[in-house]
Amino acid sequence: MRDRLEDRRLLDEVDGDSDDVASQLSANEEAALPTEPAVTRPKSRSKFTVLRIVGFLLALSLASIVVLAFAIDRHTRDSFDESQLAIPLHPVEHSTRDPTTLTFEWHVTLGTRAPDGVEKQVYHVNGHFPGPTIEGRSGDRIIVRVYNDLKDEGLSLHWHGLRMQGFNAMDGAVGFTQCPISPASSFVYDFRIRDDEHGTFWWHSHAQLQRADGLFGGLVIHEPRRHDANAALQDEALLLIGDWFHRKQGDILAWYSSPASAGKEPVPDSIVINGRGRYDCSMAVPARPVHCKATALSDFPPLIKKSAGETRLRVVNTGTVAGLTLGVDGASLQPLEVDGGCKVDANAGDSVGTLYPGERVDLLLKWKSDQAAEPWFNVYLDHENLGFGNPALNPNHTFPALPKTVTGHDREYASPLKFRDHHMDLAMLSSTEEPSRIVTADEEQTILLYASTQTLSVNGNIPLGFINHTSWHPQSLPLLSQNRSSWDDKQLIPFIPSGSKPTRVKLVINNLDDGSHPFHLHGYSFHVLSSFRAESGSLGSYNPYATSESDSPGEWNRERPLRKDTVSVPRKGHVVLSFVADNPGMWMLHCHMLVHMGTGMATGFQVGVPGDEEHIYGLDESAAKLCKV
């Protein structure tokens, strides 16, 4: 019954009109409705009979609406379970069903919250922060009608990690595939997930700086499998973890975009997990007064409620600056997959890291026999990109891992996370996937990029992000809706011709800065063939035109390379990536640190038919329908 009600809700929302629920019933549902026996009645009672039938149908409709409302409310309560910190997931419900259409209606607003005890204006979706979690399976169609209820801000949504094959205009990248959704307007994102696509993803704003102030949510695509009633069910839960600033990100970028920052990244004040945190109010500094109320340990939910067995934790770094290292007292963490479903070969460790902004990892949590009396969930903010000090920040954050930690009052804070012998370095993982012929073959096109932050006097000593001497800035119309003759000199967009035989691409990103850059490529996943981090004072760039692989710095992995869509380019080093350009369109590539992207560290690729470098045949005028010019 619940499945039929869900199908009915989806049909109602796709049509944008739920007034006539009965008319949406399928033939099977109509056959299931109770019917009266076929008997002969006097004609004088026919009016009474009609009234009875109408009354019955009205009562049935009202009951259906009540049950439907309960079903929707149940889904919402599951997504925002107050009894545990991790968002519970429902893999069996989705992985064992047929592909379907999932429809959502989201209203975006602003409101005051105190995620970690400090009040701040954050974005809400349907009144929730973070926004709703979408769960689906491979092959599903997803329809999201987004209403911009903000007063004076445009917005867009990006589906981080999804290939969006055939749906370039739905990618949500302002400047590339759309203009922002204007206030008091709406837009429908409508796309289909590939049949071979599954894993941990997430959605977030790709307009201005809204992601840093809370406009994001989870997106989990389950791998299809047969239903086995005898199979042991594994709990799954989602963790959206990221650094957190008590000031608006607009103020953060304004500070960074001034000579005062000297190009040093801003340092966060705290972290939040699924919209909650525990900030020590005594650490606030007088120069930045805040309205803070400490969260009592007894009021904070545990990470999970299950103190035995195994739990699959799907972890997303939603932050804007810092990498994350994770550990759980009395439990091991084993990496299972990274990014969009790439299975990895890894042992269990006491701690796992570093997970950079935009990256994801699935961890198998197993409780040990010598479980701690009060187990804590530990999160450490990597210091590499925290050039300036922040006396308001404690880089070690601890949260109750189990209910017994919440009820234990011997201490309010756990000891700092310590790296033990069994630490799993995510940069050292290898894939368990079979090696691809495309990966092991020579690439047909090589693209060489240099990323850097520069503070030049010609620009007033304001730090700007550059890729190959170009600092990106969006135009008034998205590139997808224009041909190349209309692009300005801030659009560094290499052309990749790819016809019936897709082009194999080797992408080299050299990082000239002394801090890492997590780069995300829209529309594609890629294999990480090589990654190199230079020692202090040296430079480890890779020149594919002058260097052989055997002589280049760093180790190569062409046998079992990781498949990812977001990768950290090490400081003063490089990555060598490989992908098959089989997804036509205009796709963005950018640093996922917002202050870097916000100051120009972005580029992209135009993938089109050979001979269409001017972007005439691939032009999509619908990409400009939201633009106000």
Side-chain angles (χ1 to χ4, degrees), residues 384 449-451 508-517 530-535 538-542 553-554 568-576:
E384 179 180 353
L449 302 177
Y450 289 85
V508 179
I509 305 178
N510 287 314
N511 179 2
L512 303 180
D513 292 339
D514 56 4
S516 60
H517 289 298
S530 177
S531 177
F532 178 73
R533 175 190 178 104
E535 297 297 328
S538 61
L539 187 63
S541 296
Y542 174 70
S568 175
V569 186
R571 69 177 186 190
K572 299 291 186 178
H574 70 263
V575 293
V576 180

Side-chain angles (χ1 to χ4, degrees), residues 296-445:
L297 184 60
S298 58
D299 295 333
F300 205 87
L303 177 71
I304 57 176
K305 294 176 287 187
K306 186 178 177 182
S307 59
E310 302 175 350
T311 301
R312 185 187 188 111
L313 296 177
R314 296 177 179 263
V315 185
V316 181
N317 185 338
T318 61
T320 63
V321 176
L324 305 173
T325 296
L326 314 174
V328 180
D329 297 338
S332 65
L333 297 173
Q334 179 185 2
L336 301 177
E337 296 181 0
V338 295
D339 284 8
C342 176
K343 294 178 174 58
V344 297
D345 181 17
N347 297 320
D350 294 318
S351 56
V352 174
T354 302
L355 189 71
Y356 290 92
E359 291 186 319
R360 293 90 66 206
V361 63
D362 289 13
L363 302 172
L364 183 63
L365 183 151
K366 292 183 180 180
W367 293 107
K368 299 179 181 178
S369 56
D370 57 342
Q371 186 181 120
E374 292 181 12
W376 294 78
F377 176 52
N378 306 283
V379 182
Y380 172 75
L381 293 181
D382 186 67
H383 66 276
E384 179 180 353
N385 289 318
L386 309 183
F388 274 128
N390 182 358
L393 172 68
N394 178 2
N396 290 281
H397 287 255
T398 57
F399 303 88
L402 289 173
K404 64 180 181 179
T405 312
V406 179
T407 57
H409 298 287
D410 292 339
R411 57 179 177 172
E412 275 289 300
Y413 302 98
S415 57
L417 174 66
K418 296 180 180 178
F419 293 100
R420 303 176 184 176
D421 294 335
H422 302 292
H423 173 73
M424 288 303 304
D425 186 349
L426 294 178
M428 303 303 294
L429 298 180
S430 293
S431 170
T432 61
E433 297 178 348
E434 290 297 322
S436 169
R437 180 183 61 82
I438 296 294
V439 173
T440 56
D442 292 332
E443 290 75 10
E444 294 180 356
Q445 182 169 347

Side-chain angles (χ1 to χ4, degrees), residues 6 8 38 52 56 165 171 209 281 311 338 354 382 389 416 499 530 603 607:
E6 183 68 8
R8 184 186 306 170
R52 282 186 59 192
F56 172 77
Q165 187 132 21
D171 191 49
L209 309 166
C281 297
T311 301
V338 295
T354 302
D382 186 67
S530 177
T603 181
V607 181

